[in-house]
Amino acid sequence: MRTADAPKVPVQVVASALLELRRLAGKPSLDQLVRLTKQQGPRWAMPRTTIDDKLHGRSAPKVEHVLALVVAFRDYATAAGNPLPREFCDEGAWRSECVAMDRALADPRSHDYRGMVARDILAAREGHTDGTAPPVTASAEPSETAWVEHVLRTVGPETAGKELPPKDATAMANVLQAAGRTEELGRLLRAAAGRSAHDVLTMSEAGGLDIGGQLIRLALEDHSIARMAALVTEAEHHHADGAVGLIHLGVRHRPILNVVNLIKTIHTNGGSPFIGEILSAGLRGRSAREVSLFLIGLRAAKMRDDADVLLYLISLSHDKNELLNVISCLKERHRYADATKLRAVIEPLWWRRPPRPR
C-alpha cells in the first residue's frame, strides 16, 4: 500500500498502526494477546472479540485498549528476542495519540487525520514519509519540538494541558517556554490548573520554579475550601518546600473564617503534617482583630490543639503593642483565658505585683 493511500479516518489510522505493530512483534495470535493483556491486570484484560474489533478499526478504542495491546506486543516481541523500537511503545506518546484521535473524531475535518506515533509506525512501514515526519528507526529519538508542534496542531494547548499525562504536559510547557511562546503556554497551564491535585503538584514539581509557580497560582484561583484542602493533603506526597510555598500562597489572602474551615476540612479528610504551616501562614499580615478572630474561630470549632499552637505562635510576636491590641480584642469578645495567657507573655509576673496605693 502506498503512503498516499494510507487511511485518514482517525480510528482506521490507529487500528492500522496497531496491526503494523503486531506484525513487527511477530504476529502473536488473538489467544496469545488475550493471555498477555490478562497478565497486565483486570483493568487491561481484553477478550478475543474486543481485540479483533480494535485491531480492525470497527469501533474507536479506549486508551486502556490501546495501551494494553501496545504492552502485549512489546512483551511478546521482547520474549521472542526481537524487541520493538522504544519510541513505538512509549506510553505517553500513545496516550497523546488517543487524545488526538478523540479530538479528531469530534471534528468534521477528521478525514485529514495523520496520527502521531501511529503516523511514524505507518511511515516506517513504507520506508518513506509524506513529508510530515522523518523515517523512524529503532535507534532514532523522536524530536520533542516536532512532537509538541504536532500535538498543538492536532488538539491545541487547552486539550493538551487537560488530558496529556502530567510528564508530557510539563515537557510541552517547557518547550513552549523555551521558545518564548507565552500565549500558548498560558493557555496550556490554565487548562492544566483544573486537573486533580495530584496532577497539578506533579506538574508543578517537574516544571521547575517558573512554570511550577505559574501553575500553582492558576490552580489557586479556585478559592474553594475543598480544592485547597485537596492540594494540602496531596502536598504531603511531594517536596516539602513546594508544599510550604503552596500553603503560603493559598492561605495568606483568605478570610480568617475560611482558613478555620479549611483546617477543619483537612482534619475531616484525615489530617496533614502541614497544619502548623497553615496556622503560621494564616497569621501573616493580619490585623489584631483578625488574629483574635482566628483564635476564637479555632476554639469555637473545638480544635483545641490547633488553637493552643496558634496561641503559642501569637505569643512569639516581638511587637508588644500588637499583642496588647490582640489582648484587647479577645477581652471585647469575653475570651479572658486566652487574653490572660498572652498578657503573661508581655509581663510574666504582672499578676503578682501588689496593687498600687490609691
Side-chain angles (χ1 to χ4, degrees), residues 21 124 137 160 180 245 263 293 296 323 350:
L21 205 56
T137 64
I263 295 171
L293 287 177
I296 291 168
L323 282 177
W350 70 272

Side-chain angles (χ1 to χ4, degrees), residues 248 263 274-284 291 294-295 298-299 305-319 322-323 326 342 345:
H248 280 266
I263 295 171
F274 295 111
I275 295 290
E277 202 63 50
I278 295 174
L279 294 171
S280 176
L283 286 176
R284 294 187 65 179
V291 170
F294 197 2
L295 185 57
L298 292 174
R299 296 285 187 207
D305 291 343
D306 294 330
D308 288 343
V309 171
L310 183 66
L311 186 66
Y312 170 74
L313 293 173
I314 295 170
S315 74
L316 297 178
S317 172
H318 297 292
D319 188 335
E322 184 66 18
L323 282 177
V326 173
L342 286 178
V345 171

Side-chain angles (χ1 to χ4, degrees), residues 46-96:
M46 297 173 65
R48 281 175 56 97
T49 52
T50 301
I51 293 173
D52 191 60
D53 181 69
K54 304 311 175 188
L55 288 177
H56 291 89
R58 299 188 188 98
S59 64
K62 297 179 180 178
V63 64
E64 289 85 356
H65 296 148
V66 173
L67 295 180
L69 288 172
V70 170
V71 170
F73 298 149
R74 182 199 66 193
D75 292 348
Y76 183 87
T78 301
N82 183 35
L84 293 170
R86 182 164 58 86
E87 59 270 25
F88 288 176
C89 304
D90 182 78
E91 178 182 333
W94 277 106
R95 285 186 181 275
S96 301

Side-chain angles (χ1 to χ4, degrees), residues 150-213:
H150 190 76
V151 173
L152 290 176
R153 283 198 309 270
T154 307
V155 302
E158 289 86 0
T159 300
K162 285 191 295 186
E163 299 185 27
L164 286 183
K167 67 175 184 178
D168 293 331
T170 306
M172 180 173 288
N174 285 326
V175 172
L176 291 174
Q177 183 185 48
R181 297 164 67 172
T182 55
E183 190 268 337
E184 289 166 306
L185 173 63
R187 289 161 60 192
L188 183 148
L189 291 178
R190 183 164 292 280
R195 298 176 67 146
S196 69
H198 173 269
D199 285 356
V200 167
L201 291 177
T202 298
M203 291 179 63
S204 172
E205 210 166 54
L209 189 61
D210 190 4
I211 287 177

Side-chain angles (χ1 to χ4, degrees), residues 201-280:
L201 291 177
T202 298
M203 291 179 63
S204 172
E205 210 166 54
L209 189 61
D210 190 4
I211 287 177
Q214 291 183 61
L215 181 58
I216 288 297
R217 285 178 173 83
L218 289 169
L220 290 174
E221 288 183 2
D222 178 350
H223 297 293
S224 69
I225 291 173
R227 178 63 162 168
M228 186 63 191
L231 288 168
V232 172
T233 302
E234 178 62 30
E236 184 177 347
H237 308 293
H238 296 264
H239 197 280
D241 290 344
V244 170
L246 161 71
I247 288 166
H248 280 266
L249 280 173
V251 169
R252 64 185 179 186
H253 297 306
R254 284 178 179 264
I256 284 297
L257 292 182
N258 192 292
V259 178
V260 172
N261 287 329
L262 170 64
I263 295 171
K264 187 174 182 179
T265 300
I266 292 172
H267 280 305
T268 302
N269 293 344
S272 167
F274 295 111
I275 295 290
E277 202 63 50
I278 295 174
L279 294 171
S280 176

